Every structure is written in C-alpha cells, then in structure tokens.
Amino acid sequence: MMVPVRCFTCGNVVAEHWEEFEDRARDGDEDPAEVLDDLGVDRFCCRRMLVSHTDLVDVVSPYQ
C-alpha cells in the first residue's frame, strides 16, 4: 500500500502503479526508469514520488 495516494505536485493518482513498480524495480532485475515507462508514468514529479517513496505502513502499524 502506498501512502500518499496522489502526487504532491500535480495531483495524479500514483498509488495504482506502486505494487507493480515495487515488484519489478526493487528486486534489481529491471531498471526503474524502464518500469515507469512501461507503466505509462511520464511526468517527472510522479516518477519522483514512486522512486523516492519508502513504505512505512508495516513499521508504523505493527498490529495487523
């Protein structure tokens, strides 16, 4: 789960791409820029949101 759901700068929804981006790019098998191109994320601000995001939901709420 990605929080925030929208890009801070332009307001586009970026959370819908988070899980696929994380699965493909965080393993190191694929270049993050190529993954974002495949997902159709072309704005720099949205790309920055996805690349720089750190998922803290599991750390903040350990009781599921």
Side-chain angles (χ1 to χ4, degrees):
M1 173 174 39
M2 180 177 182
V3 177
V5 174
R6 294 185 175 272
C7 176
F8 288 134
T9 307
C10 68
N12 284 341
V13 178
V14 293
E16 64 188 11
H17 303 295
W18 172 248
E19 287 185 23
E20 186 173 354
F21 174 74
E22 184 179 35
D23 291 341
R24 291 174 59 188
R26 299 294 178 185
D27 295 338
D29 297 336
E30 294 184 64
D31 183 30
E34 291 176 7
V35 174
L36 291 172
D37 289 340
D38 289 344
L39 294 174
V41 180
D42 56 350
R43 296 186 66 131
F44 177 77
C45 56
C46 298
R47 291 169 81 96
R48 177 195 47 83
M49 287 285 295
L50 288 167
V51 170
S52 65
H53 179 70
T54 303
D55 221 1
L56 295 176
V57 173
D58 294 334
V59 175
V60 174
S61 63
Y63 306 107
Q64 298 177 3

